[in-house]
Amino acid sequence: SWDGDSGGPVFIDGGKGAPQIIGLVTARINHVEEIDSEREKRKIETPLGLSKALPAALILDTIRLARITTAE
């Protein structure tokens, strides 16, 4: 995952090369190393190429709930 990937689709091969969306990228996962010496304090963040994602089923449930709520 890279800066700006948030909001992008997470998908798998749904068979016969057809993508199946299974989620939405919400955050990048970094390895965080904090260096604390006599003269300085630093934090180094290294991207791991992994992301946190919100499951597509939860997104669909939220949309359905919003439709029901606004219809009332």
Side-chain angles (χ1 to χ4, degrees), residues 7-71:
V10 177
F11 57 92
I12 60 173
D13 182 355
K16 297 184 181 178
Q20 178 181 355
I21 295 176
I22 60 168
L24 181 89
V25 174
T26 58
R28 178 175 63 190
I29 300 175
N30 295 327
H31 169 73
V32 179
E33 184 177 357
E34 294 190 15
I35 301 169
D36 195 4
S37 69
E38 290 180 22
R39 291 182 274 152
E40 70 178 327
K41 187 173 185 177
R42 285 192 293 161
K43 182 168 81 169
I44 300 172
E45 294 189 37
T46 306
L48 295 176
L50 301 171
S51 296
K52 293 181 182 181
L54 191 62
L58 184 58
I59 297 166
L60 289 172
D61 288 346
T62 303
I63 292 169
R64 285 186 195 109
L65 183 59
R67 285 182 180 162
I68 292 168
T69 304
T70 54

